[in-house]
Amino acid sequence: MARALVREDLMREREAVLGHLEDQDASPLGAAVWRARLATLEEQLGDVGEELATHASVALLFEGDPVLGTTEIRADFAAKMLDGFQNLVGVMYAQSAGRHLSGQGRAPLLDQSRLYVREMARGSVGFVLEERESEQTQIVDSALKAVVEDAVGMIEAISLPAVIGQDPLAGLSPRVVQSAHKFAKALATSHATARILSDGKTVALPEDRVLALYETLDEARVVEEVEKVPGTILGLLPESGKFEFMAALSDETTLGDTSTDIQFRYYSDPMFHDRFVMRPVFATIRSLQIIRAGRPGKRDFVLEDVEAREGDDTGLRKALSDK
């Protein structure tokens, strides 16, 4: 379980025990029982601080219209929030692993980024999500734990009050923004608030910060374009899912990710490299770019397809330079 949530549960019980110890009418035996329980809690709190948790763990806790009392939550809202957070983590995990992300659809490496509902949070309405622990002992944090911590930190940063001259979406890929928007929209339109507790962070999202999170992401528009461009593939690295391309009559290069189809063709066709790399081609390139407040943001490129092209660009370049 997320250490922040465990600590919170222990601190809540500790406060209750201290209240019992302040009771002047308690019997000597009763006081001794509460002192023993307090010592146990203090020891457990110390253990939580020293615990080395290497797998991903996060608690999503909710309040507001979809929550009834301290034990019930609307099923449709719960499904949206679980799916939204899992989708965000899946997209960020695939991105961190260097896998290409198209504009829509299932994120790659979903099985490796899957979180599991371990239990309902005690004392609050929500869920504890955890990564399946490896059978082998890990001494360093898993890749998924790092991504979950990044996702929680990103949500916190976007929900904070705006700072002039700083864009909280700077550097985020379009697919990450789309996924975060889905999560924020489910919270805002359901009139819910949340707390997110991971091993390293505790993020409170009261009504004003839910609104700030949603409005910031809602301002961002993702523009998607697909072009078939003549040019030359300068490099293709299917292992890391990267490509470098120079369009005909241009000295600028485009760097981006390769689609799973391109990676499959590369490995299944022994002649693929010789036929298309450093040869005239038509490249089908998909681009996704964030536009926020009229300002263009990060732009991602994905090589979707490639076809051989007759001739080279020498004559075209010479004709253009002679004009």
Side-chain angles (χ1 to χ4, degrees):
M1 187 186 296
R3 275 183 291 180
L5 184 59
V6 174
R7 175 178 288 277
E8 186 175 274
D9 287 344
L10 292 173
M11 290 298 294
R12 187 185 301 116
E13 186 177 354
R14 180 177 180 273
E15 289 299 315
V17 170
L18 289 173
H20 286 293
L21 286 173
E22 292 174 359
D23 184 2
Q24 300 297 323
D25 296 328
S27 67
L29 178 59
V33 170
W34 290 122
R35 282 195 295 272
R37 181 55 186 160
L38 179 62
T40 300
L41 290 171
E42 297 285 6
E43 183 179 352
Q44 290 175 336
L45 281 166
D47 292 341
V48 169
E50 297 175 359
E51 180 185 353
L52 179 63
T54 58
H55 66 289
S57 180
V58 62
L60 307 179
L61 310 179
F62 304 105
E63 294 182 358
D65 288 359
V67 177
L68 300 177
T70 59
T71 58
E72 299 178 60
I73 184 170
R74 276 196 350 238
D76 61 331
F77 171 76
K80 285 180 182 178
M81 299 313 302
L82 291 172
D83 180 66
F85 190 79
Q86 175 65 78
N87 184 262
L88 175 60
V89 169
V91 167
M92 293 180 68
Y93 185 87
Q95 182 175 274
S96 71
R99 299 297 292 272
H100 104 278
L101 296 163
S102 59
Q104 300 292 335
R106 167 182 166 134
L109 306 178
L110 184 59
D111 289 341
Q112 291 94 313
S113 62
R114 200 180 300 279
L115 297 168
Y116 294 82
V117 178
R118 292 299 186 198
E119 57 184 300
M120 293 285 288
R122 295 189 296 273
S124 302
V125 181
F127 307 92
V128 177
L129 309 178
E130 293 190 351
E131 173 185 7
R132 291 187 67 182
E133 293 192 50
S134 171
E135 294 181 358
Q136 298 180 342
T137 302
Q138 291 181 275
I139 60 174
V140 296
D141 289 350
S142 70
L144 183 54
K145 178 178 180 177
V147 169
V148 167
E149 295 291 343
D150 287 345
V152 175
M154 181 197 69
I155 290 171
E156 178 183 37
I158 298 174
S159 71
L160 291 172
V163 177
I164 296 176
Q166 295 184 15
D167 184 357
L169 305 187
L172 298 181
S173 76
R175 272 296 299 270
V176 168
V177 170
Q178 287 176 325
S179 297
H181 178 264
K182 179 181 178 181
F183 179 84
K185 182 178 181 180
L187 266 179
T189 57
S190 298
H191 305 288
T193 61
R195 285 191 303 137
I196 306 176
L197 299 87
S198 66
D199 277 352
K201 283 185 173 293
T202 297
V203 178
L205 295 174
E207 187 175 347
D208 60 328
R209 288 184 62 176
V210 168
L211 186 61
L213 176 70
Y214 175 56
E215 289 182 343
T216 299
L217 291 163
D218 199 50
E219 288 175 356
R221 184 167 55 94
V222 177
V223 177
E224 184 173 354
E225 297 178 345
V226 180
E227 290 185 284
K228 188 174 181 178
V229 186
T232 304
I233 294 178
L234 303 179
L236 192 62
L237 300 172
E239 297 87 354
S240 58
K242 302 297 180 183
F243 79 96
E244 182 176 4
F245 177 79
M246 178 180 288
L249 311 181
S250 173
D251 292 326
E252 295 185 1
T253 60
T254 298
L255 302 173
D257 301 320
T258 58
S259 68
T260 51
D261 182 61
I262 290 292
Q263 294 173 25
F264 175 78
R265 289 172 61 188
Y266 185 95
Y267 287 119
S268 61
D269 182 358
M271 298 302 295
F272 187 91
H273 184 278
D274 293 337
R275 288 169 55 204
F276 297 115
V277 178
M278 296 304 294
R279 298 285 189 273
V281 299
F282 285 108
T284 301
I285 299 177
R286 182 184 303 274
S287 68
L288 295 96
Q289 186 172 33
I290 300 171
I291 307 294
R292 181 167 179 255
R295 299 189 301 273
K298 190 174 187 295
R299 191 176 188 185
D300 291 345
F301 297 95
V302 179
L303 179 63
E304 299 278 358
D305 193 17
V306 61
E307 303 172 25
R309 178 168 62 90
E310 296 296 328
D312 57 41
D313 301 330
T314 305
L316 291 173
R317 291 179 184 278
K318 185 176 186 305
L320 185 65
S321 62
D322 290 341
K323 287 185 178 182

